[in-house]
Amino acid sequence: MAQMTRFPCRPGTVGARLAGRHAGPAGRLATTTLAAALLTSVVLGPTPAWSQSIPDAAVSAEMREDWGAAAEIYRRALEADPERVDLWRRLSDVLARDGQPVSAAEALDQAVAVEPDEPDMRLAASAAWAQADRPAAALEHCLAAADLAPEDVAILRTCARQANWAGDTAAVAEISGRVHAITGDAADLKAYARALGGMGELDESVALYRDYLAAHPDDPEALLDYATVETWRGNYAVAAEALNQYHDVHGEDDDWAARRARLLAWAHRPTEARELNDELLAANPNDYEHLYTRMLILRGEPRHSEAIAALEPLKRLRPESKDTRDAIRSTHAFLRSNVGIEAGFRDDADDISLRRLAIKGRWSLTPETYLYGRAEHRDIRAKAGSPFVGVEGDTSVDIEQAWVGARHRFSPLLEIGADAGVASIDGGGGDVGLYGLYADLRPLDNLWVDLSATRRVWDISPKSASLGLAMRDHRARIHWQPTLRHFVNAEVAHGRLNDGNRRNELFVNPYRAMLRTERLNLDLGVSAHWQDYDRDLDNGYYDPSNYRRFALTVVGYWKFSDDDGLNVTVSPGWHTDDSLSDYEFGTDVSVELINGIYRDWYSRLSASYSDRSQTTGRYDAYSINWELVRRF
């Protein structure tokens, strides 16, 4: 799944000032200089008196504000006595006043080398590197100071701010945890929860936010940030509940509207999200967070070209941000041209097996239009003497088939496509024409309807293939999300075979999102499947009258990363048809390993098992399939 942007920094916080998120390079330097100066004055206090004298000539040069001359005098004195920490500090000060922040910080590094175990000296060096706009070096010195004074909460808080500025989310979380362990304060618990969310430890962050909100249920900042972390986990229903609580207590404001718009954009509710986002962008047209939400809305509607164009302001505002890079690759991934290969094997209790190998490709002409094609070899086999061998007695029948097609999205409401091809079947099957017509509809934000009319070879067994059987299938697939927790998949189909048989089919699968965590998604539901053939023919395929199956469905997805995961589906249930006197128990299991969802190389490896086979009348079958795609 694609990543959401991190918490928007609130104007006025120290983290926002240090990060300089609303300023260019000059602004960042100014804010870090101010922060470092404040840090030096608060932590270090006035420069202590030293037993050794300061060169009079250097003092006179400083009084004349001749910083270059003063620096040269201090350097000569330090060549004679490099252990003079007081002179390194004065040299650093005059270099800073002379507009040389890097040299000033390097001078304090020399002082640290003389007194490496002095926390105050480390903090002075940290402040100097902050003035030089070097957050990593500033953080390194601050962490060293914290190690020297591990119970000093003031130093730890300073380091947390430095880590936030440096973008080191792991350090922010580790330091915030140390502060909370020392103080036990509720405010530090909230800060720790926020830091864990920022570094991607979403489950731990949620647990801490829940602890905090149990004692402070109406805290506006905590409610908003808790909703954000739950949104990152994909736990949209719980995030919406937190935002509803915020709304009930604090009303509508820009913070609430921004978080709700982001939630709705991720949860496939682009119309409602757009209403909120339009007002926010009208007031702040260059706000990165609002622009990011706009990109998600356009992607979800879907408006492919506009979504790609919406990436440009993100690249302009934060070109090096991981969030920007993730937005770019996740937006482009499914619109890119590609070539791929597929291979598969299937076997069942009737000893009917299928081996297949295919190459395929997509050529994207525009984000809305693409051409595609596929060429495939299929080898279907049965044992000698089996009732499923070919009509000429062949135990193996080869099928060579290929088709090409095109699809175009006319609007967010409608995409249509068509393909045409031919299959050549040996063993007496001859040539069979193939076609496909498609219409994908989005009548509502939460309703998808995919319509198709296809003609494909009915290669259930060598016998059905050698007879040249083809199925004309007319099908509607529906996906409905009535709430943020509840979903319904449904299919209704009518098919006609060229042996005169007809099939009607209905499948319904309502399910509920039970878990949405940092790593695991878990859905539980039920399903009902019915299919019915007009006639019972001996043409090498399973054609039951009034087949019914009712089952439980358990679907789990384990996220290794945004790009990789493992999908497991288990469906135990009971089935019957006109040949059975009662319902029989059976289970379907499938496992799918997915790699590279948004990367250039994408692959899927799946294995499935069923203790019944709806196509041969026997109740034992398994299959293995593999796919590899290269995107361009």
Side-chain angles (χ1 to χ4, degrees), residues 507 527-529 531 547-556 567-575 584-591 607-615 618-623:
F507 175 79
S527 67
H529 185 199
Q531 65 174 325
Y547 171 88
R548 288 147 287 158
R549 184 173 193 262
F550 303 95
L552 303 174
T553 58
V554 182
V555 180
N567 193 78
V568 178
T569 302
V570 180
S571 179
W574 291 262
H575 59 272
E584 299 289 339
F585 182 79
T587 302
D588 294 342
V589 179
S590 67
V591 179
S608 62
Y609 172 80
S610 174
D611 60 5
R612 72 194 190 292
S613 174
Q614 298 173 6
T615 54
R618 298 295 296 272
Y619 298 91
D620 182 34
Y622 70 90
S623 65

mmCIF file of all heavy atoms in Angstrom, residues 507 527-529 531 547-556 567-575 584-591 607-615 618-623:
data_model
loop_
_atom_site.group_PDB
_atom_site.id
_atom_site.type_symbol
_atom_site.label_atom_id
_atom_site.label_comp_id
_atom_site.label_asym_id
_atom_site.label_seq_id
_atom_site.Cartn_x
_atom_site.Cartn_y
_atom_site.Cartn_z
ATOM 1 N N PHE A 507 -22.929 -15.341 -7.124
ATOM 2 C CA PHE A 507 -21.998 -15.420 -5.998
ATOM 3 C C PHE A 507 -22.131 -14.137 -5.185
ATOM 4 O O PHE A 507 -22.142 -13.031 -5.741
ATOM 5 C CB PHE A 507 -20.562 -15.571 -6.498
ATOM 6 C CG PHE A 507 -19.531 -15.545 -5.404
ATOM 7 C CD1 PHE A 507 -19.285 -16.664 -4.632
ATOM 8 C CD2 PHE A 507 -18.811 -14.387 -5.144
ATOM 9 C CE1 PHE A 507 -18.342 -16.643 -3.617
ATOM 10 C CE2 PHE A 507 -17.861 -14.349 -4.137
ATOM 11 C CZ PHE A 507 -17.624 -15.485 -3.370
ATOM 12 N N SER A 527 -20.032 -16.440 2.416
ATOM 13 C CA SER A 527 -20.261 -16.425 0.972
ATOM 14 C C SER A 527 -21.329 -17.446 0.608
ATOM 15 O O SER A 527 -21.513 -18.457 1.302
ATOM 16 C CB SER A 527 -18.966 -16.726 0.208
ATOM 17 O OG SER A 527 -18.545 -18.058 0.431
ATOM 18 N N ALA A 528 -22.014 -17.152 -0.472
ATOM 19 C CA ALA A 528 -23.002 -18.069 -1.039
ATOM 20 C C ALA A 528 -22.754 -18.151 -2.539
ATOM 21 O O ALA A 528 -22.589 -17.117 -3.200
ATOM 22 C CB ALA A 528 -24.420 -17.578 -0.753
ATOM 23 N N HIS A 529 -22.711 -19.376 -3.065
ATOM 24 C CA HIS A 529 -22.426 -19.591 -4.481
ATOM 25 C C HIS A 529 -23.464 -20.550 -5.050
ATOM 26 O O HIS A 529 -23.707 -21.626 -4.481
ATOM 27 C CB HIS A 529 -21.022 -20.174 -4.644
ATOM 28 C CG HIS A 529 -20.597 -20.321 -6.072
ATOM 29 N ND1 HIS A 529 -19.570 -21.143 -6.464
ATOM 30 C CD2 HIS A 529 -21.063 -19.746 -7.220
ATOM 31 C CE1 HIS A 529 -19.414 -21.074 -7.765
ATOM 32 N NE2 HIS A 529 -20.314 -20.234 -8.253
ATOM 33 N N GLN A 531 -24.794 -22.188 -8.919
ATOM 34 C CA GLN A 531 -24.723 -22.280 -10.373
ATOM 35 C C GLN A 531 -25.600 -23.431 -10.847
ATOM 36 O O GLN A 531 -25.810 -24.423 -10.132
ATOM 37 C CB GLN A 531 -23.291 -22.425 -10.878
ATOM 38 C CG GLN A 531 -22.563 -23.684 -10.482
ATOM 39 C CD GLN A 531 -21.205 -23.786 -11.174
ATOM 40 O OE1 GLN A 531 -21.046 -23.363 -12.317
ATOM 41 N NE2 GLN A 531 -20.234 -24.357 -10.475
ATOM 42 N N TYR A 547 -26.306 -26.363 -8.130
ATOM 43 C CA TYR A 547 -25.162 -26.447 -7.216
ATOM 44 C C TYR A 547 -25.239 -25.281 -6.235
ATOM 45 O O TYR A 547 -25.474 -24.129 -6.616
ATOM 46 C CB TYR A 547 -23.853 -26.377 -7.997
ATOM 47 C CG TYR A 547 -22.634 -26.246 -7.112
ATOM 48 C CD1 TYR A 547 -22.002 -27.369 -6.608
ATOM 49 C CD2 TYR A 547 -22.133 -24.991 -6.770
ATOM 50 C CE1 TYR A 547 -20.890 -27.256 -5.786
ATOM 51 C CE2 TYR A 547 -21.024 -24.865 -5.953
ATOM 52 C CZ TYR A 547 -20.411 -25.995 -5.460
ATOM 53 O OH TYR A 547 -19.319 -25.879 -4.647
ATOM 54 N N ARG A 548 -25.017 -25.576 -4.947
ATOM 55 C CA ARG A 548 -25.045 -24.548 -3.910
ATOM 56 C C ARG A 548 -23.879 -24.766 -2.949
ATOM 57 O O ARG A 548 -23.562 -25.905 -2.615
ATOM 58 C CB ARG A 548 -26.348 -24.606 -3.113
ATOM 59 C CG ARG A 548 -27.590 -24.130 -3.853
ATOM 60 C CD ARG A 548 -28.817 -24.904 -3.416
ATOM 61 N NE ARG A 548 -28.810 -26.264 -3.928
ATOM 62 C CZ ARG A 548 -29.503 -27.272 -3.389
ATOM 63 N NH1 ARG A 548 -30.227 -27.083 -2.310
ATOM 64 N NH2 ARG A 548 -29.445 -28.481 -3.921
ATOM 65 N N ARG A 549 -23.306 -23.661 -2.528
ATOM 66 C CA ARG A 549 -22.259 -23.723 -1.502
ATOM 67 C C ARG A 549 -22.389 -22.512 -0.593
ATOM 68 O O ARG A 549 -22.539 -21.379 -1.059
ATOM 69 C CB ARG A 549 -20.859 -23.741 -2.114
ATOM 70 C CG ARG A 549 -19.757 -23.909 -1.055
ATOM 71 C CD ARG A 549 -18.383 -24.100 -1.674
ATOM 72 N NE ARG A 549 -17.426 -24.545 -0.677
ATOM 73 C CZ ARG A 549 -16.561 -23.746 -0.041
ATOM 74 N NH1 ARG A 549 -16.538 -22.458 -0.322
ATOM 75 N NH2 ARG A 549 -15.727 -24.242 0.857
ATOM 76 N N PHE A 550 -22.319 -22.772 0.716
ATOM 77 C CA PHE A 550 -22.353 -21.720 1.724
ATOM 78 C C PHE A 550 -21.111 -21.882 2.591
ATOM 79 O O PHE A 550 -20.825 -22.983 3.064
ATOM 80 C CB PHE A 550 -23.624 -21.822 2.570
ATOM 81 C CG PHE A 550 -24.882 -21.759 1.753
ATOM 82 C CD1 PHE A 550 -25.521 -22.925 1.345
ATOM 83 C CD2 PHE A 550 -25.412 -20.537 1.368
ATOM 84 C CE1 PHE A 550 -26.668 -22.879 0.582
ATOM 85 C CE2 PHE A 550 -26.563 -20.473 0.599
ATOM 86 C CZ PHE A 550 -27.198 -21.642 0.200
ATOM 87 N N ALA A 551 -20.393 -20.784 2.780
ATOM 88 C CA ALA A 551 -19.085 -20.906 3.428
ATOM 89 C C ALA A 551 -18.772 -19.684 4.274
ATOM 90 O O ALA A 551 -19.353 -18.600 4.108
ATOM 91 C CB ALA A 551 -17.997 -21.097 2.373
ATOM 92 N N LEU A 552 -17.837 -19.875 5.181
ATOM 93 C CA LEU A 552 -17.186 -18.779 5.877
ATOM 94 C C LEU A 552 -15.978 -18.348 5.053
ATOM 95 O O LEU A 552 -15.374 -19.164 4.344
ATOM 96 C CB LEU A 552 -16.737 -19.213 7.269
ATOM 97 C CG LEU A 552 -17.811 -19.752 8.207
ATOM 98 C CD1 LEU A 552 -17.169 -20.265 9.495
ATOM 99 C CD2 LEU A 552 -18.844 -18.679 8.517
ATOM 100 N N THR A 553 -15.600 -17.091 5.154
ATOM 101 C CA THR A 553 -14.405 -16.623 4.453
ATOM 102 C C THR A 553 -13.504 -15.891 5.438
ATOM 103 O O THR A 553 -13.952 -15.031 6.196
ATOM 104 C CB THR A 553 -14.757 -15.681 3.286
ATOM 105 O OG1 THR A 553 -15.493 -14.560 3.783
ATOM 106 C CG2 THR A 553 -15.593 -16.406 2.245
ATOM 107 N N VAL A 554 -12.246 -16.259 5.417
ATOM 108 C CA VAL A 554 -11.230 -15.609 6.245
ATOM 109 C C VAL A 554 -10.102 -15.190 5.311
ATOM 110 O O VAL A 554 -9.506 -16.034 4.634
ATOM 111 C CB VAL A 554 -10.686 -16.557 7.332
ATOM 112 C CG1 VAL A 554 -9.658 -15.832 8.195
ATOM 113 C CG2 VAL A 554 -11.821 -17.113 8.184
ATOM 114 N N VAL A 555 -9.838 -13.900 5.258
ATOM 115 C CA VAL A 555 -8.797 -13.377 4.374
ATOM 116 C C VAL A 555 -7.820 -12.564 5.210
ATOM 117 O O VAL A 555 -8.213 -11.606 5.888
ATOM 118 C CB VAL A 555 -9.383 -12.502 3.250
ATOM 119 C CG1 VAL A 555 -8.265 -11.980 2.349
ATOM 120 C CG2 VAL A 555 -10.401 -13.292 2.437
ATOM 121 N N GLY A 556 -6.565 -12.953 5.172
ATOM 122 C CA GLY A 556 -5.529 -12.221 5.895
ATOM 123 C C GLY A 556 -4.428 -11.778 4.953
ATOM 124 O O GLY A 556 -4.051 -12.515 4.031
ATOM 125 N N ASN A 567 -0.728 -13.013 1.111
ATOM 126 C CA ASN A 567 -2.183 -13.084 1.221
ATOM 127 C C ASN A 567 -2.600 -14.541 1.446
ATOM 128 O O ASN A 567 -2.179 -15.436 0.705
ATOM 129 C CB ASN A 567 -2.833 -12.547 -0.053
ATOM 130 C CG ASN A 567 -4.317 -12.311 0.117
ATOM 131 O OD1 ASN A 567 -4.738 -11.326 0.709
ATOM 132 N ND2 ASN A 567 -5.120 -13.219 -0.405
ATOM 133 N N VAL A 568 -3.418 -14.777 2.466
ATOM 134 C CA VAL A 568 -3.896 -16.123 2.785
ATOM 135 C C VAL A 568 -5.419 -16.084 2.870
ATOM 136 O O VAL A 568 -5.987 -15.236 3.571
ATOM 137 C CB VAL A 568 -3.312 -16.637 4.113
ATOM 138 C CG1 VAL A 568 -3.863 -18.026 4.429
ATOM 139 C CG2 VAL A 568 -1.790 -16.666 4.052
ATOM 140 N N THR A 569 -6.070 -16.999 2.150
ATOM 141 C CA THR A 569 -7.531 -17.091 2.158
ATOM 142 C C THR A 569 -7.939 -18.511 2.532
ATOM 143 O O THR A 569 -7.425 -19.482 1.959
ATOM 144 C CB THR A 569 -8.117 -16.740 0.780
ATOM 145 O OG1 THR A 569 -7.711 -15.420 0.418
ATOM 146 C CG2 THR A 569 -9.631 -16.806 0.804
ATOM 147 N N VAL A 570 -8.847 -18.614 3.486
ATOM 148 C CA VAL A 570 -9.392 -19.911 3.901
ATOM 149 C C VAL A 570 -10.912 -19.809 3.854
ATOM 150 O O VAL A 570 -11.489 -18.853 4.384
ATOM 151 C CB VAL A 570 -8.930 -20.297 5.319
ATOM 152 C CG1 VAL A 570 -9.513 -21.645 5.719
ATOM 153 C CG2 VAL A 570 -7.408 -20.321 5.397
ATOM 154 N N SER A 571 -11.544 -20.807 3.223
ATOM 155 C CA SER A 571 -12.997 -20.763 3.066
ATOM 156 C C SER A 571 -13.600 -22.145 3.316
ATOM 157 O O SER A 571 -13.828 -22.921 2.380
ATOM 158 C CB SER A 571 -13.362 -20.267 1.659
ATOM 159 O OG SER A 571 -14.767 -20.237 1.488
ATOM 160 N N PRO A 572 -13.877 -22.482 4.570
ATOM 161 C CA PRO A 572 -14.563 -23.747 4.865
ATOM 162 C C PRO A 572 -16.074 -23.585 4.679
ATOM 163 O O PRO A 572 -16.644 -22.537 5.009
ATOM 164 C CB PRO A 572 -14.211 -23.986 6.335
ATOM 165 C CG PRO A 572 -14.030 -22.610 6.902
ATOM 166 C CD PRO A 572 -13.487 -21.756 5.793
ATOM 167 N N GLY A 573 -16.714 -24.621 4.135
ATOM 168 C CA GLY A 573 -18.148 -24.504 3.918
ATOM 169 C C GLY A 573 -18.792 -25.818 3.521
ATOM 170 O O GLY A 573 -18.159 -26.882 3.541
ATOM 171 N N TRP A 574 -20.060 -25.745 3.139
ATOM 172 C CA TRP A 574 -20.857 -26.916 2.798
ATOM 173 C C TRP A 574 -21.458 -26.716 1.411
ATOM 174 O O TRP A 574 -21.911 -25.619 1.068
ATOM 175 C CB TRP A 574 -21.971 -27.099 3.828
ATOM 176 C CG TRP A 574 -21.450 -27.495 5.178
ATOM 177 C CD1 TRP A 574 -21.382 -28.741 5.706
ATOM 178 C CD2 TRP A 574 -20.919 -26.616 6.176
ATOM 179 N NE1 TRP A 574 -20.832 -28.708 6.965
ATOM 180 C CE2 TRP A 574 -20.537 -27.414 7.285
ATOM 181 C CE3 TRP A 574 -20.712 -25.231 6.249
ATOM 182 C CZ2 TRP A 574 -19.975 -26.884 8.434
ATOM 183 C CZ3 TRP A 574 -20.151 -24.698 7.390
ATOM 184 C CH2 TRP A 574 -19.791 -25.520 8.474
ATOM 185 N N HIS A 575 -21.453 -27.790 0.621
ATOM 186 C CA HIS A 575 -21.937 -27.703 -0.750
ATOM 187 C C HIS A 575 -22.809 -28.914 -1.071
ATOM 188 O O HIS A 575 -22.718 -29.970 -0.425
ATOM 189 C CB HIS A 575 -20.762 -27.650 -1.729
ATOM 190 C CG HIS A 575 -19.869 -28.848 -1.640
ATOM 191 N ND1 HIS A 575 -18.811 -28.913 -0.769
ATOM 192 C CD2 HIS A 575 -19.885 -30.047 -2.298
ATOM 193 C CE1 HIS A 575 -18.206 -30.082 -0.887
ATOM 194 N NE2 HIS A 575 -18.849 -30.792 -1.818
ATOM 195 N N GLU A 584 -22.266 -31.537 1.771
ATOM 196 C CA GLU A 584 -20.965 -32.088 2.124
ATOM 197 C C GLU A 584 -20.031 -30.948 2.526
ATOM 198 O O GLU A 584 -20.120 -29.835 2.002
ATOM 199 C CB GLU A 584 -20.362 -32.848 0.936
ATOM 200 C CG GLU A 584 -21.192 -34.023 0.463
ATOM 201 C CD GLU A 584 -21.172 -35.180 1.444
ATOM 202 O OE1 GLU A 584 -20.222 -35.236 2.265
ATOM 203 O OE2 GLU A 584 -22.087 -36.022 1.391
ATOM 204 N N PHE A 585 -19.119 -31.251 3.453
ATOM 205 C CA PHE A 585 -18.170 -30.235 3.918
ATOM 206 C C PHE A 585 -16.952 -30.202 3.007
ATOM 207 O O PHE A 585 -16.467 -31.240 2.552
ATOM 208 C CB PHE A 585 -17.729 -30.543 5.348
ATOM 209 C CG PHE A 585 -16.787 -29.512 5.921
ATOM 210 C CD1 PHE A 585 -17.270 -28.312 6.401
ATOM 211 C CD2 PHE A 585 -15.420 -29.748 5.958
ATOM 212 C CE1 PHE A 585 -16.413 -27.356 6.927
ATOM 213 C CE2 PHE A 585 -14.549 -28.799 6.480
ATOM 214 C CZ PHE A 585 -15.049 -27.597 6.966
ATOM 215 N N GLY A 586 -16.453 -29.025 2.754
ATOM 216 C CA GLY A 586 -15.245 -28.867 1.952
ATOM 217 C C GLY A 586 -14.573 -27.541 2.251
ATOM 218 O O GLY A 586 -15.207 -26.600 2.728
ATOM 219 N N THR A 587 -13.289 -27.465 1.963
ATOM 220 C CA THR A 587 -12.517 -26.266 2.290
ATOM 221 C C THR A 587 -11.660 -25.844 1.109
ATOM 222 O O THR A 587 -11.063 -26.685 0.429
ATOM 223 C CB THR A 587 -11.608 -26.522 3.507
ATOM 224 O OG1 THR A 587 -12.408 -26.912 4.617
ATOM 225 C CG2 THR A 587 -10.817 -25.272 3.870
ATOM 226 N N ASP A 588 -11.596 -24.546 0.890
ATOM 227 C CA ASP A 588 -10.674 -23.959 -0.077
ATOM 228 C C ASP A 588 -9.599 -23.198 0.684
ATOM 229 O O ASP A 588 -9.894 -22.481 1.651
ATOM 230 C CB ASP A 588 -11.392 -22.980 -1.007
ATOM 231 C CG ASP A 588 -12.396 -23.665 -1.915
ATOM 232 O OD1 ASP A 588 -12.291 -24.894 -2.071
ATOM 233 O OD2 ASP A 588 -13.273 -22.969 -2.455
ATOM 234 N N VAL A 589 -8.361 -23.334 0.237
ATOM 235 C CA VAL A 589 -7.240 -22.614 0.839
ATOM 236 C C VAL A 589 -6.372 -22.070 -0.288
ATOM 237 O O VAL A 589 -6.071 -22.791 -1.248
ATOM 238 C CB VAL A 589 -6.389 -23.521 1.754
ATOM 239 C CG1 VAL A 589 -5.217 -22.732 2.340
ATOM 240 C CG2 VAL A 589 -7.230 -24.122 2.863
ATOM 241 N N SER A 590 -5.970 -20.821 -0.169
ATOM 242 C CA SER A 590 -5.034 -20.267 -1.150
ATOM 243 C C SER A 590 -4.021 -19.377 -0.439
ATOM 244 O O SER A 590 -4.334 -18.725 0.564
ATOM 245 C CB SER A 590 -5.767 -19.462 -2.228
ATOM 246 O OG SER A 590 -6.346 -18.300 -1.681
ATOM 247 N N VAL A 591 -2.810 -19.378 -0.966
ATOM 248 C CA VAL A 591 -1.715 -18.565 -0.439
ATOM 249 C C VAL A 591 -1.069 -17.853 -1.616
ATOM 250 O O VAL A 591 -0.792 -18.477 -2.654
ATOM 251 C CB VAL A 591 -0.672 -19.426 0.298
ATOM 252 C CG1 VAL A 591 0.464 -18.556 0.811
ATOM 253 C CG2 VAL A 591 -1.318 -20.192 1.444
ATOM 254 N N ALA A 607 -0.450 -20.520 -4.636
ATOM 255 C CA ALA A 607 -0.787 -21.944 -4.582
ATOM 256 C C ALA A 607 -2.158 -22.059 -3.937
ATOM 257 O O ALA A 607 -2.468 -21.340 -2.977
ATOM 258 C CB ALA A 607 0.250 -22.719 -3.772
ATOM 259 N N SER A 608 -2.983 -22.955 -4.466
ATOM 260 C CA SER A 608 -4.329 -23.121 -3.915
ATOM 261 C C SER A 608 -4.701 -24.596 -3.880
ATOM 262 O O SER A 608 -4.190 -25.409 -4.664
ATOM 263 C CB SER A 608 -5.356 -22.340 -4.746
ATOM 264 O OG SER A 608 -5.410 -22.828 -6.073
ATOM 265 N N TYR A 609 -5.582 -24.911 -2.957
ATOM 266 C CA TYR A 609 -6.053 -26.290 -2.801
ATOM 267 C C TYR A 609 -7.547 -26.262 -2.516
ATOM 268 O O TYR A 609 -8.047 -25.405 -1.782
ATOM 269 C CB TYR A 609 -5.327 -26.988 -1.650
ATOM 270 C CG TYR A 609 -5.912 -28.343 -1.321
ATOM 271 C CD1 TYR A 609 -5.591 -29.459 -2.081
ATOM 272 C CD2 TYR A 609 -6.812 -28.487 -0.267
ATOM 273 C CE1 TYR A 609 -6.150 -30.695 -1.797
ATOM 274 C CE2 TYR A 609 -7.374 -29.722 0.028
ATOM 275 C CZ TYR A 609 -7.039 -30.826 -0.744
ATOM 276 O OH TYR A 609 -7.596 -32.040 -0.470
ATOM 277 N N SER A 610 -8.264 -27.203 -3.105
ATOM 278 C CA SER A 610 -9.688 -27.361 -2.849
ATOM 279 C C SER A 610 -9.995 -28.842 -2.736
ATOM 280 O O SER A 610 -9.489 -29.644 -3.521
ATOM 281 C CB SER A 610 -10.508 -26.744 -3.993
ATOM 282 O OG SER A 610 -11.881 -27.016 -3.815
ATOM 283 N N ASP A 611 -10.812 -29.197 -1.753
ATOM 284 C CA ASP A 611 -11.161 -30.607 -1.630
ATOM 285 C C ASP A 611 -12.464 -30.923 -2.356
ATOM 286 O O ASP A 611 -13.176 -31.868 -2.036
ATOM 287 C CB ASP A 611 -11.244 -31.040 -0.166
ATOM 288 C CG ASP A 611 -12.288 -30.273 0.623
ATOM 289 O OD1 ASP A 611 -13.014 -29.462 0.019
ATOM 290 O OD2 ASP A 611 -12.377 -30.486 1.842
ATOM 291 N N ARG A 612 -12.763 -30.104 -3.340
ATOM 292 C CA ARG A 612 -13.811 -30.405 -4.293
ATOM 293 C C ARG A 612 -13.434 -29.713 -5.592
ATOM 294 O O ARG A 612 -12.645 -28.759 -5.584
ATOM 295 C CB ARG A 612 -15.174 -29.907 -3.827
ATOM 296 C CG ARG A 612 -15.258 -28.418 -3.899
ATOM 297 C CD ARG A 612 -16.407 -27.821 -3.161
ATOM 298 N NE ARG A 612 -16.531 -26.424 -3.489
ATOM 299 C CZ ARG A 612 -15.660 -25.497 -3.133
ATOM 300 N NH1 ARG A 612 -14.617 -25.833 -2.419
ATOM 301 N NH2 ARG A 612 -15.825 -24.255 -3.502
ATOM 302 N N SER A 613 -13.987 -30.148 -6.682
ATOM 303 C CA SER A 613 -13.726 -29.516 -7.967
ATOM 304 C C SER A 613 -15.047 -29.263 -8.652
ATOM 305 O O SER A 613 -15.766 -30.199 -8.991
ATOM 306 C CB SER A 613 -12.838 -30.401 -8.847
ATOM 307 O OG SER A 613 -12.715 -29.842 -10.126
ATOM 308 N N GLN A 614 -15.381 -28.044 -8.848
ATOM 309 C CA GLN A 614 -16.670 -27.706 -9.432
ATOM 310 C C GLN A 614 -16.712 -27.967 -10.929
ATOM 311 O O GLN A 614 -17.766 -27.902 -11.532
ATOM 312 C CB GLN A 614 -16.976 -26.230 -9.159
ATOM 313 C CG GLN A 614 -17.081 -25.907 -7.681
ATOM 314 C CD GLN A 614 -17.207 -24.425 -7.428
ATOM 315 O OE1 GLN A 614 -17.328 -23.643 -8.356
ATOM 316 N NE2 GLN A 614 -17.172 -24.033 -6.166
ATOM 317 N N THR A 615 -15.595 -28.251 -11.529
ATOM 318 C CA THR A 615 -15.580 -28.429 -12.975
ATOM 319 C C THR A 615 -15.521 -29.888 -13.407
ATOM 320 O O THR A 615 -15.819 -30.200 -14.550
ATOM 321 C CB THR A 615 -14.372 -27.694 -13.572
ATOM 322 O OG1 THR A 615 -13.199 -28.134 -12.911
ATOM 323 C CG2 THR A 615 -14.530 -26.195 -13.388
ATOM 324 N N ARG A 618 -15.390 -33.917 -9.060
ATOM 325 C CA ARG A 618 -14.621 -34.524 -7.979
ATOM 326 C C ARG A 618 -14.173 -33.442 -7.019
ATOM 327 O O ARG A 618 -14.160 -32.266 -7.354
ATOM 328 C CB ARG A 618 -13.422 -35.282 -8.545
ATOM 329 C CG ARG A 618 -13.809 -36.438 -9.466
ATOM 330 C CD ARG A 618 -14.552 -37.537 -8.719
ATOM 331 N NE ARG A 618 -13.711 -38.144 -7.715
ATOM 332 C CZ ARG A 618 -12.908 -39.173 -7.949
ATOM 333 N NH1 ARG A 618 -12.837 -39.702 -9.153
ATOM 334 N NH2 ARG A 618 -12.173 -39.679 -6.975
ATOM 335 N N TYR A 619 -13.783 -33.845 -5.841
ATOM 336 C CA TYR A 619 -13.595 -32.864 -4.775
ATOM 337 C C TYR A 619 -12.165 -32.830 -4.268
ATOM 338 O O TYR A 619 -11.907 -32.877 -3.079
ATOM 339 C CB TYR A 619 -14.589 -33.164 -3.646
ATOM 340 C CG TYR A 619 -16.004 -33.044 -4.134
ATOM 341 C CD1 TYR A 619 -16.669 -34.153 -4.644
ATOM 342 C CD2 TYR A 619 -16.636 -31.815 -4.133
ATOM 343 C CE1 TYR A 619 -17.962 -34.042 -5.121
ATOM 344 C CE2 TYR A 619 -17.932 -31.704 -4.608
ATOM 345 C CZ TYR A 619 -18.588 -32.816 -5.104
ATOM 346 O OH TYR A 619 -19.863 -32.694 -5.592
ATOM 347 N N ASP A 620 -11.219 -32.744 -5.193
ATOM 348 C CA ASP A 620 -9.816 -32.659 -4.802
ATOM 349 C C ASP A 620 -9.045 -32.035 -5.960
ATOM 350 O O ASP A 620 -8.986 -32.621 -7.042
ATOM 351 C CB ASP A 620 -9.273 -34.047 -4.478
ATOM 352 C CG ASP A 620 -7.833 -34.009 -4.016
ATOM 353 O OD1 ASP A 620 -7.455 -33.031 -3.351
ATOM 354 O OD2 ASP A 620 -7.094 -34.947 -4.332
ATOM 355 N N ALA A 621 -8.488 -30.848 -5.744
ATOM 356 C CA ALA A 621 -7.758 -30.176 -6.819
ATOM 357 C C ALA A 621 -6.765 -29.193 -6.214
ATOM 358 O O ALA A 621 -6.968 -28.679 -5.113
ATOM 359 C CB ALA A 621 -8.719 -29.439 -7.749
ATOM 360 N N TYR A 622 -5.673 -28.945 -6.945
ATOM 361 C CA TYR A 622 -4.725 -27.928 -6.506
ATOM 362 C C TYR A 622 -4.125 -27.252 -7.732
ATOM 363 O O TYR A 622 -4.163 -27.786 -8.851
ATOM 364 C CB TYR A 622 -3.625 -28.524 -5.622
ATOM 365 C CG TYR A 622 -2.645 -29.418 -6.336
ATOM 366 C CD1 TYR A 622 -1.484 -28.899 -6.904
ATOM 367 C CD2 TYR A 622 -2.874 -30.793 -6.440
ATOM 368 C CE1 TYR A 622 -0.579 -29.715 -7.560
ATOM 369 C CE2 TYR A 622 -1.976 -31.617 -7.090
ATOM 370 C CZ TYR A 622 -0.826 -31.075 -7.648
ATOM 371 O OH TYR A 622 0.066 -31.885 -8.302
ATOM 372 N N SER A 623 -3.566 -26.081 -7.519
ATOM 373 C CA SER A 623 -2.944 -25.350 -8.623
ATOM 374 C C SER A 623 -1.805 -24.497 -8.088
ATOM 375 O O SER A 623 -1.788 -24.104 -6.915
ATOM 376 C CB SER A 623 -3.965 -24.463 -9.342
ATOM 377 O OG SER A 623 -4.430 -23.439 -8.479
#
